[in-house]
Amino acid sequence: APAMPPPTRPKTILITGCSSGIGLDAAIQLHKDGWRVFAACRQAKDCERVVREYGLETCLIDYSKPETIASGWEHVLTETGGTLDALFNNGAYGVGGAAEDTPVQALREIFECNFFGWHDLTCRAIATMRLQGGHGRIIQCSSILGNVVFPFRMAYSCTKFALEGHCDALRMELSDTNIKVVSLTVGPIRTAIREKSQAHFAKHIQPNVHKSPFKTYYEQKFIPRLYGPYKKDAFELEPEAVTKVLKQALSAKSPKPRYAVTFPSKLFMFLKRFLPVRFLDVVKLKAIGMYPVGKKLHPKQKLVEEVEK
């Protein structure tokens, strides 16, 4: 009788930022598709929840704590016997505010989580992928804000611009291997990123709003939007839109270096290539209701009587 073929082991993937949003949806969907998913969260209570509610395997990885990156990674390798087919870096946060109102410490903290931690985990994954015969996928959840900048998004944008440079360097350096590096330039997706940015805004930006040149803009527009009831952005999609593209990036024989997710992301990637810089600036400002800047970013102080009505 012919020998039975060896049982094929399921493909393995480590996904970070799985407490909610994009990471959680990707973990659930890939698990359903037969992947062995390690759904990392930065808090133990979320790790317990993804195991309890979704039957996923988990580990604790908080990018701002390097020791958890090391221990989380070791845990995954112990479980898989030292191999990994794919890494999806996704956990990140935003801190909104004008560039001149952003303290250096706020930048240090956001880079630690959104970029340095990703670099650390990615390098560990690449070392493993080289050892297993030079194959694997590194998928980075980037953003349209890593390609096109909008006002009051400087800190987050800078981390994503750094990430895009990182992807480009890795892609070229690994081009003689079968380790593929892909960035997903994600546009507006309904996740908890806005709510989760509130604490960072309160810590770093809010204390100095009273002396900011943009004081009235913060008070009349930015803070009400940040803390107010959730309003859907134009063309905003649910996290499954990202998961759909993630699956393409994981399964394509030779994946594209970048996949744009959502219409605004595709549109601005296109415009960036063809429009002169100053013209694109006006298009961007108009798109988010900040044009002309003199009027929109420095609105007249509303009269006290009006406010009291």
Side-chain angles (χ1 to χ4, degrees):
M4 290 290 287
T8 54
R9 63 173 184 85
K11 288 198 143 176
T12 53
I13 184 167
L14 169 60
I15 304 176
T16 63
C18 290
S19 63
S20 63
I22 292 167
L24 181 60
D25 188 76
I28 293 167
Q29 298 301 331
L30 289 176
H31 179 63
K32 279 186 189 153
D33 284 359
W35 282 75
R36 184 176 179 193
V37 176
F38 294 90
C41 305
R42 84 195 147 90
Q43 294 182 355
K45 66 174 175 32
D46 291 321
C47 291
E48 287 154 21
R49 185 169 51 87
V50 299
V51 175
R52 190 175 65 242
E53 292 184 17
Y54 305 104
L56 300 164
E57 293 177 79
T58 191
C59 60
L60 191 140
I61 292 178
D62 178 343
Y63 286 124
S64 64
K65 299 186 176 126
E67 67 279 7
T68 68
I69 300 173
S71 57
W73 179 250
E74 284 313 311
H75 171 78
V76 171
L77 288 193
T78 305
E79 292 294 316
T80 64
T83 65
L84 189 74
D85 293 303
L87 167 65
F88 181 38
N89 277 307
N90 160 73
Y93 72 83
V95 54
E100 66 191 281
D101 296 330
T102 305
V104 175
Q105 186 56 30
L107 291 177
R108 289 199 177 102
E109 287 175 22
I110 197 171
F111 264 87
E112 192 65 53
C113 173
N114 291 12
F115 183 67
F116 302 150
W118 289 39
H119 170 73
D120 183 349
L121 191 56
T122 299
C123 293
R124 291 169 193 271
I126 290 169
T128 292
M129 289 169 180
R130 284 190 181 279
L131 283 174
Q132 69 195 14
H135 68 86
R137 294 275 154 109
I138 308 282
I139 318 279
Q140 310 288 39
C141 191
S142 185
S143 169
I144 183 58
L145 297 175
N147 296 273
V148 178
V149 182
F150 286 86
F152 284 70
R153 302 284 181 278
M154 179 277 293
Y156 181 81
S157 274
C158 286
T159 65
K160 294 302 186 184
F161 265 75
L163 177 65
E164 291 293 340
H166 195 266
C167 289
D168 286 347
L170 282 181
R171 194 178 60 248
M172 291 186 282
E173 292 160 5
L174 295 167
S175 56
D176 67 330
T177 72
N178 198 23
I179 302 168
K180 308 287 190 196
V181 181
V182 178
S183 103
L184 308 183
T185 61
V186 174
I189 299 285
R190 174 59 181 135
T191 71
I193 195 163
R194 187 183 304 170
E195 291 81 345
K196 288 182 179 177
S197 74
Q198 291 167 356
H200 302 283
F201 179 82
K203 176 181 176 183
H204 293 296
I205 312 291
Q206 189 116 38
N208 293 310
V209 160
H210 67 280
K211 57 182 190 206
S212 166
F214 302 103
K215 175 177 182 285
T216 46
Y217 178 78
Y218 281 114
E219 290 169 353
Q220 293 178 22
K221 289 276 194 277
F222 190 89
I223 291 171
R225 179 176 186 265
L226 180 63
Y227 291 98
Y230 186 79
K231 269 223 320 268
K232 196 176 158 152
D233 283 330
F235 304 103
E236 180 176 272
L237 299 176
E238 293 298 318
E240 61 255 27
V242 181
T243 303
K244 192 176 148 194
V245 179
L246 170 65
K247 287 182 183 181
Q248 289 171 13
L250 287 168
S251 60
K253 206 168 170 55
S254 60
K256 295 192 290 195
R258 290 193 169 78
Y259 290 84
V261 187
T262 75
F263 172 73
S265 188
K266 290 173 187 167
L267 176 67
F268 279 105
M269 292 288 278
F270 174 81
L271 294 176
K272 188 187 181 187
R273 286 164 67 180
F274 297 105
L275 291 185
V277 172
R278 289 180 200 284
F279 192 71
L280 181 60
D281 283 351
V282 172
V283 171
K284 288 189 294 186
L285 287 164
K286 283 190 164 174
I288 54 173
M290 285 188 183
Y291 189 84
V293 168
K295 257 208 185 106
K296 299 286 189 178
L297 284 184
H298 303 285
K300 296 259 186 295
Q301 230 12 118
K302 284 184 182 149
L303 294 170
V304 177
E305 303 86 85
E306 271 184 47
V307 175
E308 282 171 356
K309 274 178 200 165

